[in-house]
Amino acid sequence: MDDYRDVNRRWWDEAAPVHAASPDYGLARFEDPSYLSHVVRFDLPRLGDVRGLEGVHLQCHIGTDTVSLARLGARMVGLDFSEPALDSARRLAAHTSAEVTFVAGDLYDAPKLLGRDRFDLVYTGIGALNWLPDVRRWAQVVADLLRPGGRLFMREGHPVLSTLDDERTDGLLALEYPYFGRDEPLVFEEDGTYVATDHVFANTVTHEWNHGLGEIVTALLAAGMELTMLEEHDSVPWDALPGQMVEDAEGEWRLSDRPGRLPHTYTLQARRPS
Ligand SMILES: C[S@@+](CC[C@H](N)C(=O)[O-])C[C@H]1O[C@@H](n2cnc3c(N)ncnc32)[C@H](O)[C@@H]1O
């Protein structure tokens, strides 16, 4: 079997230009110098003042959130393993005059590539952890990147949402996939992506993992981090259960029927002690 990184990178290399061209990512909206991605806008009340902070966006994809954080005044570096994603991200940053550096590399190599004890802010999420087999190693990467006193800020798809069968058409929520992390990947074969597109994918296989909320928090504590916020939300910024969700004016999706039944996403903050 191919290494999970090669399988997933092939998928992301093909998806990145499709995402960059899609109305869902809406890169043209960045022409307005005050525009922020809706992912960053959602968390503004929790994010606080990031002006002057040295920040890194892990798994930055096409840079929409990275550029938004730079617009809020952070000095940002974005890291991703997909060169086509970074090509788009660099074009977006150049076009918007955002001062962002983008670095290609695997998540687990980030401290080696970017430097240890360096950042005031590690920002990540929105479909990042599910590509990583080992959440303990991920948490150690976060701790290693942060300077003492620095903080992790992430909003991520809730692991309960990731257990649900997203192909049901009868409106029932069915627990189909494992909640807890496992060594073996969940192997998915799909011919689309999470944005609306006519593109016919040549690469259709992905290898992914779910990580329980307790496993994520425990991994951060084991890496020496202190948990400072854990807030669960009844919305998610993509159409996670097609046919069962409605979108609001802010680009957030909720179960159309009783969204309070399901934790859709969470925002977590943790601090490396000084
Ligand atoms: C869903 S995107 C992250 C969400 C992002 N905030 C956005 O703009 O929507 C996931 C990103 O993770 C990257 N990725 C997946 N596995 C990776 C790995 N092992 N190392 C580095 N980047 C990885 C992919 O290339 C992709 O750009």
Side-chain angles (χ1 to χ4, degrees), residues 12 25 59 61 64-65 80-82 105-107 125-127 131 194:
W12 279 109
Y25 271 97
Q59 297 175 247
H61 197 39
T64 46
D65 303 337
D80 202 282
F81 74 174
S82 167
D106 187 76
L107 177 284
I126 312 300
W131 302 98
Y194 54 85

Side-chain angles (χ1 to χ4, degrees), residues 148-202:
R151 70 173 158 141
L152 164 69
F153 190 102
M154 64 186 289
R155 182 180 181 213
E156 188 51 284
H158 201 288
V160 169
L161 174 67
S162 308
T163 67
L164 297 178
D165 185 346
D166 56 357
E167 289 181 354
R168 278 188 95 100
T169 51
D170 58 8
L172 293 179
L173 300 178
L175 297 168
E176 171 68 14
Y177 302 107
Y179 175 81
F180 297 105
R182 304 183 310 175
D183 289 342
E184 329 77 74
L186 292 158
V187 178
F188 294 108
E189 172 130 33
E190 279 172 46
D191 55 8
T193 175
Y194 54 85
V195 303
T197 177
D198 295 334
H199 180 81
V200 179
F201 274 76

Side-chain angles (χ1 to χ4, degrees), residues 242-260:
Q244 301 200 55
M245 295 191 138
V246 282
E247 187 181 13
D248 70 15
E250 274 75 49
E252 290 285 314
W253 295 79
R254 282 180 187 77
L255 282 180
S256 23
D257 178 23
R258 293 166 290 155

Side-chain angles (χ1 to χ4, degrees), residues 43-239:
D43 267 320
L44 277 183
R46 288 164 279 269
L47 191 59
D49 188 357
V50 298
R51 276 176 299 176
L53 296 187
E54 184 117 6
V56 58
H57 181 190
L58 298 175
Q59 297 175 247
C60 64
H61 197 39
I62 57 174
T64 46
D65 303 337
T66 333
V67 165
S68 298
L69 290 165
R71 284 185 161 179
L72 291 173
R75 290 194 300 273
M76 292 303 298
V77 176
L79 177 120
D80 202 282
F81 74 174
S82 167
E83 288 285 3
L86 294 181
D87 288 345
S88 282
R90 289 190 185 105
R91 272 197 299 276
L92 178 67
H95 195 62
T96 57
S97 310
E99 279 192 38
V100 186
T101 311
F102 290 101
V103 176
D106 187 76
L107 177 284
Y108 291 126
D109 295 332
K112 197 173 69 198
L113 293 168
L114 304 177
R116 292 166 191 274
D117 306 328
R118 172 176 167 189
F119 293 99
D120 304 302
L121 176 71
V122 170
Y123 183 94
T124 190
I126 312 300
L129 281 190
N130 56 304
W131 302 98
L132 305 174
D134 187 338
V135 74
R136 285 192 164 240
R137 265 181 85 195
W138 165 82
Q140 195 57 57
V141 165
V142 169
D144 287 348
L145 289 167
L146 286 169
R147 63 161 181 76
R151 70 173 158 141
L152 164 69
F153 190 102
M154 64 186 289
R155 182 180 181 213
E156 188 51 284
H158 201 288
V160 169
L161 174 67
S162 308
T163 67
L164 297 178
D165 185 346
D166 56 357
E167 289 181 354
R168 278 188 95 100
T169 51
D170 58 8
L172 293 179
L173 300 178
L175 297 168
E176 171 68 14
Y177 302 107
Y179 175 81
F180 297 105
R182 304 183 310 175
D183 289 342
E184 329 77 74
L186 292 158
V187 178
F188 294 108
E189 172 130 33
E190 279 172 46
D191 55 8
T193 175
Y194 54 85
V195 303
T197 177
D198 295 334
H199 180 81
V200 179
F201 274 76
N203 296 289
T204 52
V205 177
T206 60
H207 289 189
E208 300 179 44
W209 290 264
N210 202 9
H211 304 289
L213 199 52
E215 292 168 340
I216 295 163
V217 169
T218 301
L220 288 166
L221 297 178
M225 302 283 291
E226 291 170 351
L227 187 69
T228 56
M229 173 187 281
L230 180 54
E231 199 179 320
E232 292 164 300
H233 308 293
D234 72 350
S235 67
V236 54
W238 72 92
D239 186 7

